[in-house]
Amino acid sequence: MSIDSEPAGSGHAGQGNRPLLLIVDDQPSNIQVLFDIFKDDCEVYMALSGEAAFKFLEQRTPDLILLDIVMPNVGGFAVCQRLKESARTAEIPVIFVTSNSDPEEEARGLVAGAVDFIVKPFHATVVKARVNTQLTVKRQADQLRAMAMVDGLTGVANRRRFDAVLEIEWRRAAREGAELAVIMIDVDFFKRYNDRFGHLAGDNCLQQVAGALQQRLDRSSDLLARYGGEEFACVLPATGLDGALICGNALEQRVRALALPHPDSEAAPVVTVSIGVAVGRPSEGGSAAALLASADTQLYCAKQSGRARVCGQQFSAQRPGVDVVDAPAN
Ligand SMILES: [Mg+2]
């Protein structure tokens, strides 16, 4: 997966629970035969050429492609190779359908990245079984890809996903000349919470905190991630310092409003968070890592000044560490 592209979506791309199948063949009669086999189980789309297939792929991401080898202009092998070269389409399984039963042809198809090779004339039941096998493999791979980006305990994004999204958003903001905000969040005196109530209660606390934070981040472009132990982090595209501080304060209040008793906290009788905010304009220089470090410095500042509060800073690549703003916690 290239860093500049969104990862492939999880689960089926088709409507409802039906997998989305794309049939590419220059002969409408061939398409009709396959359509009749799959029309009840799949959402079936057809393309009469490689070019038409790529046009379709700009709009939708099928779960599987049945691909004819011999077509005018762009042949099946070329289509398959191009699919495998793009991060957006590389994960889509391709099955070649051909009337040529030459083993060398089959080998060439597999080398091009196909998962299977079906020779015409074929048996409907066999084709169905082979396609279903590959759809199952695809579904499992999608689940694994999704799991690899999600924090198992809280269900929010994990650090790996956060790092990837921060890089993508940094570059996007650099291109567009927009601002980018990063928020670091740390649960106050969490070790003491664990020590008093046990790790199960600690896990439950983190789940509730994650839920409260997620509720406040209502823009689809905002990302909340569990950054480590009791630390969370957010990326807020197109957000200036004022907006990011308002968001940070709202997040602080959401967690406080959970009213989870924390008798050993020196900050409040309930579970609270300390928050560091940094906002930069990537087109003016710097790096995603430096912006993140700046938010981390602000988090440290919030902790040093009594916790359960928000500290924020306009990050500048030229003058790192200036313009500290102490935002009122309430
Ligand atoms: Mg053909």
Side-chain angles (χ1 to χ4, degrees), residues 154-170:
T154 59
V156 300
N158 63 15
R159 181 173 181 160
R160 202 169 125 191
R161 170 99 174 115
F162 176 86
D163 289 339
V165 168
L166 178 59
E167 277 295 334
I168 290 168
E169 293 300 341
W170 176 272

Side-chain angles (χ1 to χ4, degrees), residues 292-321:
L292 187 61
S294 171
D296 207 39
T297 304
Q298 293 303 305
L299 172 59
Y300 181 76
C301 159
K303 285 185 195 170
Q304 287 302 104
S305 49
R307 302 181 203 239
R309 69 193 59 211
V310 182
C311 281
Q313 177 189 43
Q314 187 74 43
F315 166 75
S316 161
Q318 281 77 39
R319 305 166 294 136

Side-chain angles (χ1 to χ4, degrees), residues 25-27 30 68-72 120:
D25 198 307
D26 60 321
Q27 301 291 327
N30 288 344
D68 180 28
I69 291 180
V70 183
M71 294 185 291
K120 289 179 273 193

Side-chain angles (χ1 to χ4, degrees), residues 49-276:
S49 67
E51 293 92 332
F54 284 112
K55 243 199 156 65
F56 175 82
L57 289 164
E58 285 170 16
Q59 310 294 328
R60 305 287 302 268
T61 305
D63 292 294
L64 189 137
I65 298 175
L66 288 170
L67 182 58
D68 180 28
I69 291 180
V70 183
M71 294 185 291
N73 299 325
V74 191
F77 290 133
V79 170
C80 188
Q81 266 160 9
R82 213 173 117 186
L83 287 171
K84 297 301 154 189
E85 278 164 12
S86 161
R88 220 171 53 76
T89 52
E91 313 292 350
I92 305 170
V94 172
I95 298 180
F96 277 120
V97 184
T98 178
S99 40
N100 189 344
S101 60
D102 179 6
E104 278 191 24
E105 191 88 329
E106 181 168 349
R108 217 182 133 198
L110 296 173
V111 167
V115 291
D116 203 354
F117 199 90
I118 295 169
V119 179
K120 289 179 273 193
F122 46 68
H123 226 275
T125 341
V126 175
V127 173
K128 225 176 179 168
R130 287 174 134 180
V131 165
N132 281 335
T133 299
Q134 295 304 335
L135 285 172
T136 302
V137 171
K138 163 75 162 37
R139 197 176 311 129
Q140 289 165 344
D142 281 346
Q143 282 166 357
L144 284 176
R145 275 192 287 272
M147 275 162 60
M149 295 186 292
V150 171
D151 173 56
L153 178 67
T154 59
V156 300
N158 63 15
R159 181 173 181 160
R160 202 169 125 191
R161 170 99 174 115
F162 176 86
D163 289 339
V165 168
L166 178 59
E167 277 295 334
I168 290 168
E169 293 300 341
W170 176 272
R171 290 183 200 188
R172 194 199 310 272
R175 281 196 302 273
E176 295 172 358
E179 287 185 294
L180 181 66
V182 168
I183 299 182
M184 295 290 287
I185 303 158
D186 191 78
V187 180
D188 296 321
F189 298 106
F190 186 68
K191 190 185 173 300
R192 292 187 191 175
Y193 189 92
N194 265 337
D195 288 347
R196 176 180 276 255
F197 296 112
H199 285 275
L200 271 180
D203 285 354
N204 183 267
C205 169
L206 291 175
Q207 286 166 340
Q208 295 208 48
V209 168
L213 297 173
Q214 187 72 77
Q215 263 184 7
R216 175 56 180 75
L217 298 170
D218 38 17
R219 296 190 309 177
S220 64
S221 54
D222 296 341
L223 178 85
L224 170 70
R226 183 165 173 219
Y227 199 69
E230 70 270 25
E231 220 171 26
F232 295 89
C234 313
V235 184
L236 278 57
T239 305
L241 186 57
D242 288 351
L245 287 172
I246 288 170
C247 182
N249 277 304
L251 293 172
E252 196 279 328
Q253 281 161 27
R254 287 265 170 164
V255 173
R256 195 185 285 265
L258 288 171
L260 300 170
H262 191 350
D264 298 325
S265 169
E266 287 166 30
V270 294
V271 169
T272 56
V273 289
S274 296
I275 294 182

